Amino acid sequence: MSSILSLVTGWPGPSGFGSASSAEQVTEGIDASHLTAIITGGASGIGLETARVLALRKARVIIGARNMEAANEAKKIILEEVEDGRVDVLKLDLASIKSVREFARNFIALNLPLNILINNAGIMFCPYQLSEDGIEMQFATNHIGHFLLTNLLLDKMKETAKTTGVEGRIVNLSSIAHIHTYEDGIQFDDINNPTSYSDKRAYGQSKLANILHANELTRCFQEEGVNITANAVHPGLIMTNLMKHSAILMRILKFFSFLLWKNVPQGAATTCYVALHPNLKGVSGKYFVDCNEIKPSTFARDELLARKLWDFSNKLINSSSKSY
């Protein structure tokens, strides 16, 4: 009840920030000039706002986006405000294993460090369809693409953290919708089953996977003694292009729950807080809502489920990969 009250009122939580805080407010005074960040889906919505605020705080920002025209327009918008900003764009289609591999190769070829990886892009409530690799589209885009991308960039992140002594941070954008998933959490045996497909539960499943991914990364990092953290965030309810497959439903919902909805600067706040704020140094394997840590679902705290998902994801990628 208190979390609903703080959401409606915008009252800050223990972090000093709350649902009414904006991305600029939660990063005020932070100098990120020594940091390089990748953000997927940074061409629109909260991804664009996240990229803008990171650039405003002097970070070097690489936007990964499927639509290069939109990505270049986003870069232009950011540089009009942040004249000395450092923003690059690279093509990335998270629903394509080939594209993810090409993005990783292209980024590594730039010979830049990598301090922050923000796995932001996603799709929501889309009708049943398979990716070009034969994987259910929401699971492919929201989880598998980011899982592979993270794995391909981990060596670069580890190298950067080791040579600079600066903590690396991975931020997975999840959702409160992770609680509305299939009966077993993740449908390992029926991931591509069209008869059991539910657009809402498939979305919830992919968002659960985002949290489990961050948790298993944390376990691996702590086991290896790597100076990188991984956390998951729920950005809040924001009307963006993500809602395009359920626009009418969302408008009706927004009408009856308008107090619970955020604007885009507020929606990007938790991502920016977890990516940049010094108070989160060493904090890993946590789930944040409104810039404050909360406890996710039972499934999201299941260590065995997280390890099973990790192995399943690797096998799915290996079996789906063509000879690129």
Side-chain angles (χ1 to χ4, degrees):
M1 182 65 187
S2 61
S3 61
I4 293 293
L5 186 62
S6 64
L7 178 62
V8 173
T9 62
W11 287 341
S15 69
F17 304 112
S19 63
S21 301
S22 71
E24 284 196 29
Q25 288 171 336
V26 304
T27 59
E28 188 174 358
I30 294 176
D31 178 8
S33 59
H34 60 301
L35 302 175
T36 299
I38 288 176
I39 175 165
T40 68
S44 64
I46 60 175
L48 171 54
E49 176 66 1
T50 301
R52 184 189 72 83
V53 172
L54 262 61
L56 188 66
R57 302 305 176 219
K58 307 305 180 186
R60 179 160 196 163
V61 178
I62 290 85
I63 294 173
R66 186 168 51 86
N67 184 335
M68 289 300 286
E69 185 179 345
N72 281 305
E73 181 62 25
K75 176 180 177 179
K76 181 182 175 184
I77 290 169
I78 294 170
L79 294 181
E80 282 176 355
E81 178 185 347
V82 188
E83 294 181 0
D84 59 346
R86 296 172 294 162
V87 182
D88 295 291
V89 298
L90 291 174
K91 186 171 179 61
L92 172 63
D93 181 356
L94 286 157
S96 164
I97 288 174
K98 179 181 179 181
S99 177
V100 173
R101 292 190 187 280
E102 286 179 349
F103 174 91
R105 282 196 296 268
N106 289 336
F107 172 76
I108 290 169
L110 295 175
N111 199 29
L112 293 171
L114 181 58
N115 307 95
I116 300 168
L117 173 61
I118 300 176
N119 291 319
N120 164 84
I123 57 173
M124 182 180 188
F125 300 165
C126 63
Y128 179 83
Q129 56 185 306
L130 297 179
S131 70
E132 67 178 41
D133 303 296
I135 305 169
E136 186 276 308
M137 190 61 83
Q138 293 194 81
F139 194 74
T141 304
N142 297 350
H143 169 62
I144 290 296
H146 283 127
F147 177 86
L148 176 59
L149 178 66
T150 303
N151 280 356
L152 294 173
L153 296 174
L154 272 183
D155 283 345
K156 174 58 73 172
M157 290 199 75
K158 290 176 183 178
E159 175 193 321
T160 301
K162 186 174 182 179
T163 57
T164 64
V166 177
E167 177 183 83
R169 295 189 182 184
I170 297 170
V171 184
N172 284 356
L173 264 76
S174 179
S175 169
I176 197 72
H178 79 274
I179 64 176
H180 185 64
T181 184
Y182 293 105
E183 186 177 351
D184 297 322
I186 307 289
Q187 288 199 128
F188 293 110
D189 297 326
D190 291 303
I191 208 74
N192 294 332
N193 189 342
T195 58
S196 64
Y197 181 76
S198 158
D199 58 351
K200 309 297 187 297
R201 291 189 186 277
Y203 179 70
Q205 172 180 248
S206 70
K207 295 290 100 180
L208 170 62
N210 294 148
I211 301 177
L212 292 171
H213 178 214
N215 291 352
E216 184 63 7
L217 280 169
T218 294
R219 188 189 69 79
C220 293
F221 293 156
Q222 291 174 348
E223 195 174 82
E224 294 177 45
V226 175
N227 188 24
I228 304 174
T229 64
N231 292 290
V233 305
H234 166 56
L237 296 172
I238 309 109
M239 188 66 74
T240 68
N241 289 337
L242 197 62
M243 309 291 189
K244 64 183 178 182
H245 291 293
S246 54
I248 296 174
L249 170 64
M250 287 300 161
R251 287 194 180 97
I252 293 171
L253 178 62
K254 188 172 184 180
F255 177 78
F256 288 105
S257 59
F258 67 96
L259 287 173
L260 304 181
W261 289 70
K262 295 182 176 184
N263 57 36
V264 169
Q266 292 168 339
T270 305
T271 302
C272 290
Y273 174 73
V274 174
L276 289 184
H277 207 283
N279 283 359
L280 292 190
K281 183 175 174 57
V283 175
S284 193
K286 306 300 183 183
Y287 174 63
F288 291 84
V289 178
D290 298 333
C291 300
N292 288 276
E293 180 191 336
I294 72 164
K295 186 182 289 187
S297 71
T298 302
F299 277 138
R301 305 192 308 274
D302 188 326
E303 294 180 8
L304 291 178
L305 188 63
R307 293 184 193 185
K308 187 175 181 180
L309 175 65
W310 184 280
D311 293 339
F312 176 80
S313 301
N314 277 322
K315 288 176 183 175
L316 193 59
I317 289 166
N318 291 336
S319 65
S320 302
S321 292
K322 306 181 181 76
S323 55
Y324 299 133

